[in-house]
Amino acid sequence: MPGPFVAKISLSHFRSHHRTELSFDGGPVAIYGPNGAGKTNLIEAVSLLSPGRGMRRAGADDLIRRPEAIGWKIRAEVAGHEVETWAEPGSSRQVRIDGKTTSQVALGRLMRVLWLVPSMDRLWIEGAEGRRRFLDRAVLSFDPRHAEAVLDYEKAMRERNRLLKDMVRDAHWYAAVEGQMARAGAAIHAGRQSTIEALMRAQADAETAFPAADLALSHPETDPQTTEDGLRAAFAEGRSRDLGAGRTLTGPHRADLEAVWKAKDVPARDCSTGEQKALLVSLILANARALAQAHPPVLLLDEVAAHLDDGRRAALYDEICALGGQAFMTGTGPELFTAFGERANYLEATDTAGVSQMTIRESQS
Amino acid sequence: MTDAPKAMTDLIDLMARLPGLGPRSARRAVLHLIKKRGQLMGPLAEAMAQVSATARECLNCGNIGTTDICEICQSEKRGNGMICVVEDVADLWAMERSAQFKGRYHVLGGTLSALDAIGPDELRIPKLLDRIASEQISEVILALSATIDGQTTAHYIADQLPGVTVTSLAQGVPVGGELDYLDDGTITAALKARRAL
Ligand SMILES: Nc1ncnc2c1ncn2[C@@H]1O[C@H](COP(=O)(O)OP(=O)(O)O)[C@@H](O)[C@H]1O
Ligand SMILES: [Mg+2]
Ligand SMILES: [Zn+2]
C-alpha cells in the first residue's frame, strides 16, 4: 500500500520560486535542469512539510524570495490533509493543518520525509556532529518523540554548562540538572541503538545493489555510560573535571556513528567518494525499507545520480520503484534518469530572469 | 491629526504594558474608561490606589495579601502538615478556587534557571526548608511545570527533604502558571492522583 504522499504543492515567493503549482501521483519524480534553475529549492519546500528547518537547515528568513522580501508560503495536500506553512519577514515559521494552527511536530505525524543532500557527501570524513545529526534524523523517522529527548538533553546540558562556567558549587543543583540529562540521555542512547539495529536488519534482509554497512555507536569515553543510573553517576563523577573545562565532557552528545563497508571491511572514511555516496544511499534505502510497513516515507534525493556509475544508478531507480512510495530526485540533465523510463514523472526546471519555472514533461526526451 | 492629551497617552502607554494588552487594546480600554469615568474609572482608580498601598507578599509563603503574614499562614486549620509548592501566586489562587487542598502553600516565584541567573536564593527555597522543620510538615506536594527547569526545581527540592513525603501532581496535568487555566475538577483529579517523586 502506498503511504502518505504530496498530491499537490504550491510555492509562493519561496526562494527562486515566485509562484509554482504542481500535482503528483505518488510515484517517483525526476527533476532536471541547469544549475540554479530551482530544483533543490523545490524539494527543500517538500522537506519543510516535516518538522524542523528542512534539508538545508535554513532559517525562515533565508527562504524569503528576494528582492521582494514579503515572506513565503507553501501549501500542500498531504495524505488528504491541507497543509500550509509560511513565514513572514523576521518571524518564525508557522504551520496550519486543515485550517488549524498547530506545531511543527504535528507535521511529523502526517508524513515521514527522508533526504540525502550533496553536503552529506563529506559526512564520513568530517566531524562527528554531522553523523550524530544524520543518525538522530533516522531515529526521529522511527520515533517522533526522539526530538523531545534531544531538546530536553540539550536544554539541561546548557544549564549544567552554565553552572560549570559560573563555578557554582551547589551539589544539589548539579544533581537535579544531571538527573534530567541522565533521563533524556538514556532515551537518546536507546533510540540510537535501536535505530542502528533496525537499519542493520533492513540491510541484511534486502536484496540490494548497494553495499551493506556495519554500523556502531562509538564514544570517546573508555567506559561509556548509557543507562539513566550510569549516566547520572558519570555526570556526578565528572564534575571537578568538567569545572576545569567549563563544559560537560561526557554523555551522548559526544557519541559518534561508525560505519564500515562490510564486504571489504574498510571504514567509510577510507572509501572512495563514490563508495561513500553508495553507503549513504544504502542507509537511506535501508531506513525507507525499515519504515515501509508502518510509515512509508517520502524520499528526497538531491543530485544523487552525480557520483553513481550507470549500474548503481539503474539499481537505485529499481529499488525506489520497488519501495513504491513517492521520491523526488534532481539532476542536471534528463539523461541521468534514462533508466527510469516510463516509471517516473518528469519535471524540467528553467530559470527565467531569476524566476524558476517548472514544466511537466510526458517523458524525458 | 492631533494626538490625545499627554496625560491620556501616558495612561495608554502604561496600560499597554499589562499582560494581554497591546497598544491597540490599551487605546480601546482607556477610551472605554474615559466614557464611563463615573461608574468605572473613578472606582477603579480608587481600588488601585487602595491595593497599591496595602498589597504585600506574605513573609512566610510568598502569597499576596494585605498583612505581613497571609490569612492562610495565620489560620490554625490550614496547618495540617502539608505544603503545596507552586511557581506563582496565580497557581495558588487556582488551587484555592478548587477548594480541595486544605494545607498551606509556598510560592517560589519561578523555577531554577542557571541560564537566567535564577538560583535557590531567588526562589525562597531556603525559607521553604526552614518551614519544613518549624511547621512540622509531613508532606510536600510539588505543583511545578513539566519543563526541564520545573522538573530540575522539583528534584532540587526533593533531594533536600529526607524524612518528608514528597509528591508531585499527576503527570500529564499542565502546572506551573498553567494551573490557572485548569478547571476545578482537573485540579482535584491531579491532587488525588499525586505520586511520590
Ligand atoms: N531567498 C532567495 N530568493 C531568491 N532567489 C534565491 C533565494 N535563495 C536562493 N535563490 C536562488 O535559487 C537558485 C538556486 O536554486 P537551486 O534550487 O539551489 O538550484 P538547482 O536547480 O541547481 O538545485 C540560485 O540562483 C539562487 O540565487
Ligand atoms: Mg541543486
Ligand atoms: Zn503565607
Side-chain angles (χ1 to χ4, degrees), chain A residues 151-153 155-156 158-160 162-163 166 170-177 180 183-184, chain B residues 112-120 146-149 151-157 159-160:
Chain A
L151 289 175
D152 282 358
Y153 183 82
K155 160 78 176 133
R158 280 200 306 276
E159 283 286 313
R160 185 174 187 269
R162 174 50 67 93
L163 294 178
D166 292 351
D170 184 340
H172 294 292
W173 198 347
Y174 280 101
V177 167
Q180 305 295 316
R183 178 188 52 76
Chain B
L112 283 178
S113 169
L115 291 166
D116 298 322
I118 300 175
T147 59
I148 289 292
D149 285 344
Q151 292 310 297
T152 296
T153 309
H155 284 96
Y156 180 85
I157 293 171
D159 204 22
Q160 297 179 66

Side-chain angles (χ1 to χ4, degrees), chain B residues 58 60-63 69-70 72-73:
Chain B
C58 172
N60 196 46
C61 75
N63 186 15
I69 303 296
C70 74
I72 296 174
C73 287

Side-chain angles (χ1 to χ4, degrees), chain A residues 70-93:
Chain A
I70 53 172
W72 56 270
K73 182 161 199 168
I74 302 166
R75 248 183 239 271
E77 191 187 306
V78 175
H81 295 277
E82 205 206 344
V83 176
E84 294 162 278
T85 182
W86 71 96
E88 269 146 36
S91 338
S92 56
R93 120 161 133 111

